[in-house]
Amino acid sequence: MVFDRITVDPARMNGQPCVRNMRLTVRRIVELAAFYPNREELREEYPELDDEDIRQALLYAAAHLDDRVLDLPLSHETAA
């Protein structure tokens, strides 16, 4: 998978992955995608982002998550 819009520069944002070398980290874009479920509102607030920026940030985050299986309690009562 090619992430041609994701950049990593040790001198920018402490080396966190960013979109197109802007000061918007992948983490921030994932957070914004959750906060603004309506993409039109997101684009109004951040007109410098386009759909491909958001798509690649989400894919990059998903590709870098550890795919572990966690055993969870069956109900909230058993967790107490």
Side-chain angles (χ1 to χ4, degrees), residues 4-6 12 14-15 17 28 35-36 39-40 45-46 57 70 72 74 76:
D4 59 343
R5 293 180 180 229
I6 307 301
R12 182 175 299 273
N14 295 320
R28 179 72 175 137
F35 189 73
Y36 292 96
R39 291 279 170 91
E40 289 305 316
E45 283 294 318
Y46 296 86
L70 301 175
L72 298 175
L74 295 176
H76 66 282

Side-chain angles (χ1 to χ4, degrees), residues 3 43 53 61 70 79:
F3 298 107
R43 279 193 289 274
D53 294 331
L70 301 175

Side-chain angles (χ1 to χ4, degrees), residues 4 13-14 16 18-19 36 41 44 47 49 55 65-66 73:
D4 59 343
M13 302 301 288
N14 295 320
Q16 295 179 61
C18 295
V19 170
Y36 292 96
E41 290 179 24
E44 286 175 18
L49 289 176
R55 187 184 81 78
L65 288 173
D66 188 16

